[in-house]
Amino acid sequence: MSNDALDSNPPNADYHLSNHGSDWLWAVFALFGLSLLAVIGWTLATRRGTRLFHQIAIVVLLTGAISYFSMASDLGATPVPVEFRGNGTRQIWFVRYIQWFITLPLLLLGLLLAIGLPLSDILTTLFMAIVLVVTGLVGALVPSTYKWGYYVFGLVALFYIWYVLLWHGHRTTFAAGDRTAFAPGDRARSGHRLSAYYLSFLLMLYPIAWACSEGGNVISVTSEMIWYGILDLLAGPVFLFWFLFKLRGVDRNMYGPQTGKYTDSNVAPGATTTAQRAGAGPASTANGVGAGPVNGATTSPVMGAGSATYPPSAAHGAQGASAV
């Protein structure tokens, strides 16, 4: 079947997408679509209440599929006069920046949630991701040399993201425990480091691609599509599958993303479960009896069971013995 996308939607600029570029974009769209179906199946096989990271992946892949469908159809671009290497206009694909506006903050959100980074740090990092994408779009739409000013603003935002991924995130106390490792959090910490290095390296290549395409008009639009397409595949399906695979053996409850509103049981609201009758529910009024806080013990916000942070003092034990 021939690709007639450019016949149905003629290019609107002098430097525009070719038929071979459209064929490549259709292939990327197919990979995003297949990855989306695979993650949906993976999500359905995952216990409800622990699907946060899978649902983030679904949103990222669906957004990427829509974006590449649009670009493969030669839609979602506007002509902008070029600054270097010739005269005329070049297609600037604003639909790609809409994709990144949604997907980049979500990728960072999943990665930063996995290490239990404070909410304030997460919000600031997501804002910097938005700044990076928006300044790239505005700079691409500016036909004059002032576009490079937005490019610098984007690099400043990127430096902050690198700081969080490569330095600040590694110094954070990991919230994730590991059911298989001897030291809790070792597996999550190792997975985060590899993920942070990988994503940081890819984020370095995006500004280089921008400078060679929208910025400097050094490469053709088709070459631009190939470059960005490879990066989006590596940052999208490849990264997400690897990230979800690394989390498969980690206790998801330790991340704290459970809604706390879904239950797989048919216990009526307010009913007493067998576990609660066995002493796993709220603490009783007896001194030290039950699973609730005892003598300064702290209660786990995830499992709902109390765990003392230090053993009772010897004096207290002696008082308990004399009372008996």
Side-chain angles (χ1 to χ4, degrees):
M1 182 177 179
S2 60
N3 181 6
D4 60 350
L6 272 67
D7 296 329
S8 301
N9 306 300
N12 55 3
D14 300 317
Y15 299 91
H16 57 79
L17 182 69
S18 66
N19 286 320
H20 293 298
S22 179
D23 293 338
W24 160 253
L25 292 174
W26 281 119
V28 177
F29 162 73
L31 292 175
F32 267 92
L34 292 175
S35 301
L36 174 63
L37 295 177
V39 171
I40 290 176
W42 195 350
T43 303
L44 295 177
T46 305
R47 183 170 57 88
R48 292 195 179 186
T50 60
R51 296 176 175 177
L52 174 63
F53 299 106
H54 295 79
Q55 291 170 333
I56 289 177
I58 289 176
V59 175
V60 170
L61 295 174
L62 177 59
T63 305
I66 296 173
S67 173
Y68 275 91
F69 172 84
S70 302
M71 292 186 288
S73 304
D74 199 25
L75 300 172
T78 186
V80 174
V82 298
E83 181 185 5
F84 302 110
R85 301 177 63 84
N87 299 317
T89 57
R90 180 188 178 100
Q91 283 183 315
I92 300 300
W93 300 86
F94 58 84
V95 68
R96 175 190 292 128
Y97 290 92
I98 297 175
Q99 170 199 346
W100 292 340
F101 184 86
I102 298 173
T103 59
L104 179 57
L106 286 178
L107 289 173
L108 293 174
L109 176 63
L111 190 57
L112 298 180
L113 280 178
I115 63 171
L117 204 67
L119 181 60
S120 58
D121 292 335
I122 293 178
L123 292 178
T124 304
T125 307
L126 300 188
F127 172 76
M128 291 301 175
I130 293 174
V131 171
L132 175 62
V133 175
V134 171
T135 53
L137 173 60
V138 175
L141 295 175
V142 172
S144 66
T145 309
Y146 287 88
K147 68 173 59 181
W148 298 103
Y150 291 99
Y151 184 77
V152 173
F153 283 123
L155 290 180
V156 172
L158 179 58
F159 289 149
Y160 182 86
I161 296 173
W162 281 339
Y163 160 73
V164 173
L165 292 180
L166 302 177
W167 175 254
H168 183 59
H170 296 333
R171 304 180 64 196
T172 302
T173 302
F174 277 61
D178 189 355
R179 294 171 178 169
T180 60
F182 292 100
D186 284 351
R187 182 172 184 168
R189 184 179 297 275
S190 174
H192 168 265
R193 284 180 175 173
L194 293 176
S195 301
Y197 296 151
Y198 177 83
L199 193 58
S200 297
F201 175 73
L202 292 180
L203 289 177
M204 179 185 67
L205 299 179
Y206 278 96
I208 299 175
W210 189 97
C212 294
S213 54
E214 296 104 320
N217 194 35
V218 176
I219 61 177
S220 65
V221 175
T222 297
S223 299
E224 167 194 341
M225 290 301 183
I226 295 174
W227 192 338
Y228 280 132
I230 294 174
L231 290 179
D232 284 344
L233 286 174
L234 294 176
V238 174
F239 172 77
L240 290 171
F241 275 110
W242 183 83
F243 184 66
L244 293 176
F245 180 78
K246 291 293 290 184
L247 293 178
R248 73 194 186 283
V250 177
D251 187 359
R252 303 295 180 84
N253 295 334
M254 299 300 293
Y255 291 116
Q258 280 190 308
T259 61
K261 297 180 181 179
Y262 180 84
T263 176
D264 289 320
S265 65
N266 295 322
V267 179
T272 303
T273 64
T274 304
Q276 289 174 337
R277 288 193 296 270
S284 65
T285 56
N287 185 19
V289 179
V294 180
N295 296 328
T298 59
T299 302
S300 169
V302 178
M303 305 302 294
S307 58
T309 56
Y310 54 85
S313 64
H316 179 76
Q319 292 175 359
S322 62
V324 175

